[in-house]
């Protein structure tokens, strides 16, 4: 699809360029031309960011969007963006609840291979995904992963953060799935074997703080092969998970301490605050994906910009194709 076809003269191309972000640029350019775009239901794209993100992802060959929502509102936003929608399928739905239900039905029927959140509440979309009639559940708990792009002068690599958006107070069994989901996504992004820090307020195991006990148990599960594909350690406090100096000062001997790729937080409160601190005080950008369902779900904040949405599309494409390769063996 040509740039002109995807977004002829659009104002959205003047929004923040996803290729201006180092890791996202590397991720997107690492996708070969032989990988087909991922047919994706974009749920309720009735604001500029969500519609422009889908169109830009299509222009870059990451996605084949099916726009699901109130047609008049979608076309109005397209006019404001000066965007041409003639190349895209548009499925009319009167309101956000119907948009979610319709988009999920497309995934259930195999007509799309992914979902992308538009201008809709997370709980409204996930309620449709988790409905028994949707048949999108698997044997694993769904969870959300943020991929946070961090300047090299602050940290040597991007950070994967989970779960800051879906699981409110995860149990030990939930955290096992959250950790495995994050590892699987990291490996799908072709980043190798991740170092996974299970976070708590302290690196000491204490019965007074339940998350330290959970962290120790998750680490033991990884040691015994219940969790696979990553090097897992915990409990670790945030400072000694990402700072070698902090880990050394506390005499922590660990392959993960000071060099974590993935941060697993104790609950949604700590995770969501950590993500928003990184975004709003430190200015880091983040893509987001829900994994553990039969299809990947691109889920960023409703305030997320075009760059974050395009990066989410790249991650979803890599994840979906990775799963196809696994099932083809």
């Amino acid at each position: 699809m040509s740039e002109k076809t995807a977004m002829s003269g659009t104002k959205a191309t003047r929004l923040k360029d996803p290729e201006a972000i180092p890791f996202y640029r590397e991720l997107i350019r690492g996708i070969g031309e032989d990988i087909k775009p991922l047919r994706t239901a974009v749920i309720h794209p009735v604001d500029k960011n969500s519609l422009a993100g889908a169109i830009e992802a299509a222009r870059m060959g990451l996605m084949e969007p099916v726009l699901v929502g109130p047609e008049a509102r979608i076309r109005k936003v397209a006019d404001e963006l000066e965007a041409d929608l003639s190349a895209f399928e548009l499925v009319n739905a009167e309101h956000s609840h119907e948009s979610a239900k319709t988009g999920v039905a497309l995934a259930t029927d195999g007509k799309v291979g992914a979902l992308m959140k538009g201008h809709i509440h997370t709980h409204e979309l996930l309620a449709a995904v988790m409905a028994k009639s949707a048949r999108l559940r698997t044997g694993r708990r769904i969870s959300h992963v943020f991929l946070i792009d961090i300047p090299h002068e602050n940290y040597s690599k991007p950070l994967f953060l989970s779960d800051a958006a879906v699981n409110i107070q995860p149990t030990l069994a939930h955290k096992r799935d959250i950790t495995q989901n994050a590892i699987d996504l990291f490996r799908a992004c072709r980043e190798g074997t991740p170092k996974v820090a299970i976070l708590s307020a302290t690196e000491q195991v204490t019965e007074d703080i339940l998350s330290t006990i959970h962290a120790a148990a998750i680490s033991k599960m990884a040691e015994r092969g219940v969790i696979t594909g990553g090097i897992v350690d915990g409990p670790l406090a945030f400072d000694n998970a990402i700072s070698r100096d902090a880990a050394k000062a506390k005499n922590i001997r660990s392959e993960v301490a000071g060099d974590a790729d993935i941060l697993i937080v104790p609950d949604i409160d700590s995770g969501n605050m950590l993500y928003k601190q990184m975004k709003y005080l430190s200015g880091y950008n983040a893509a987001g994906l829900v994994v553990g369902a039969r299809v990947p779900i691109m889920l960023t904040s409703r305030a997320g910009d075009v760059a974050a949405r395009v990066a989410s599309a790249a991650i979803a494409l890599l994840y979906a194709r990775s799963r196809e390769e696994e099932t083809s063996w």
Side-chain angles (χ1 to χ4, degrees):
M1 183 182 299
S2 70
E3 184 171 351
K4 183 176 180 181
T5 301
M7 195 175 278
S8 177
T10 178
K11 297 175 184 176
T13 56
R14 295 192 289 274
L15 296 172
K16 190 170 183 179
D17 181 359
E19 295 210 7
I21 303 172
F23 178 70
Y24 291 173
R25 180 174 62 242
E26 178 184 327
L27 188 68
I28 291 167
R29 287 181 176 171
I31 297 176
E33 293 184 2
D34 57 325
I35 298 182
K36 291 177 58 178
L38 187 58
R39 187 167 168 82
T40 301
V42 185
I43 311 298
H44 215 64
V46 295
D47 71 322
K48 290 183 179 180
N49 278 344
S50 59
L51 184 58
I55 295 173
E56 181 66 6
R59 183 190 71 79
M60 299 180 74
L62 303 171
M63 175 196 296
E64 181 187 337
V66 178
L67 307 175
V68 182
E71 183 172 353
R73 290 182 64 186
I74 293 172
R75 293 196 181 281
K76 182 176 184 295
V77 174
D79 289 343
E80 292 171 359
L81 292 170
E82 299 175 10
D84 179 8
L85 299 183
S86 61
F88 308 127
E89 182 179 347
L90 203 159
V91 179
N92 187 55
E94 290 187 7
H95 45 72
S96 58
H97 181 72
E98 185 180 341
S99 298
K101 187 175 179 180
T102 302
V104 166
L106 292 173
T108 300
D109 294 340
K111 295 178 180 178
V112 299
L115 302 173
M116 174 182 260
K117 176 189 169 189
H119 197 65
I120 181 173
H121 287 288
T122 296
H123 67 82
E124 191 171 9
L125 174 56
L126 292 184
V129 170
M130 296 305 293
K132 288 185 178 180
S133 60
R135 303 194 305 278
L136 293 182
R137 295 181 181 182
T138 67
R140 195 182 290 178
R141 187 156 183 100
I142 70 165
S143 57
H144 183 273
V145 185
F146 275 120
L147 173 47
I148 303 170
D149 198 47
I150 297 176
H152 284 291
E153 61 268 22
N154 294 346
Y155 198 62
S156 61
K157 50 191 173 182
L159 279 170
F160 287 58
L161 174 67
S162 189
D163 181 341
V166 172
N167 289 283
I168 298 172
Q169 282 189 307
T171 65
L172 177 58
H174 297 161
K175 288 178 182 178
R176 176 198 61 212
D177 286 353
I178 289 167
T179 303
Q180 189 65 69
N181 284 342
I183 290 171
D184 291 349
L185 180 58
F186 184 95
R187 295 178 70 92
C189 290
R190 303 168 181 175
E191 293 298 300
T193 301
K195 297 179 180 180
V196 186
I198 313 299
L199 296 186
S200 184
T202 174
E203 67 280 359
Q204 301 295 327
V205 179
T206 170
E207 64 182 9
D208 295 328
I209 304 177
L210 180 61
S211 60
T212 66
I213 298 173
H214 281 181
I218 292 293
S219 299
K220 180 58 73 173
M221 287 181 190
E223 182 182 316
R224 294 186 174 179
V226 177
I227 295 168
T228 61
I231 303 167
V232 182
D233 196 13
L236 290 170
F238 180 76
D239 57 346
N240 47 60
I242 64 166
S243 167
R244 285 190 174 94
D245 290 340
K248 185 177 179 180
K250 294 186 177 182
N251 218 16
I252 299 172
R253 298 175 183 176
S254 165
E255 289 186 75
V256 176
D259 195 33
D261 297 291
I262 297 174
L263 304 177
I264 304 296
V265 296
D267 53 35
I268 199 170
D269 290 335
S270 56
N272 197 269
M273 284 186 277
L274 179 57
Y275 157 66
K276 287 177 178 174
Q277 182 275 328
M278 289 182 173
K279 178 175 174 60
Y280 290 102
L281 291 182
S282 302
Y284 303 159
N285 215 336
L289 199 69
V290 171
V291 290
R294 296 197 181 280
V295 298
I297 304 161
M298 292 156 252
L299 196 156
T300 61
S301 164
R302 279 175 294 156
D305 63 15
V306 172
R309 295 171 191 275
V310 171
S312 300
I315 296 166
L317 176 57
L318 287 171
Y319 180 73
R321 299 307 180 225
S322 173
R323 292 184 63 187
E324 288 174 3
E325 289 173 8
E326 289 175 2
T327 56
S328 68
W329 283 91

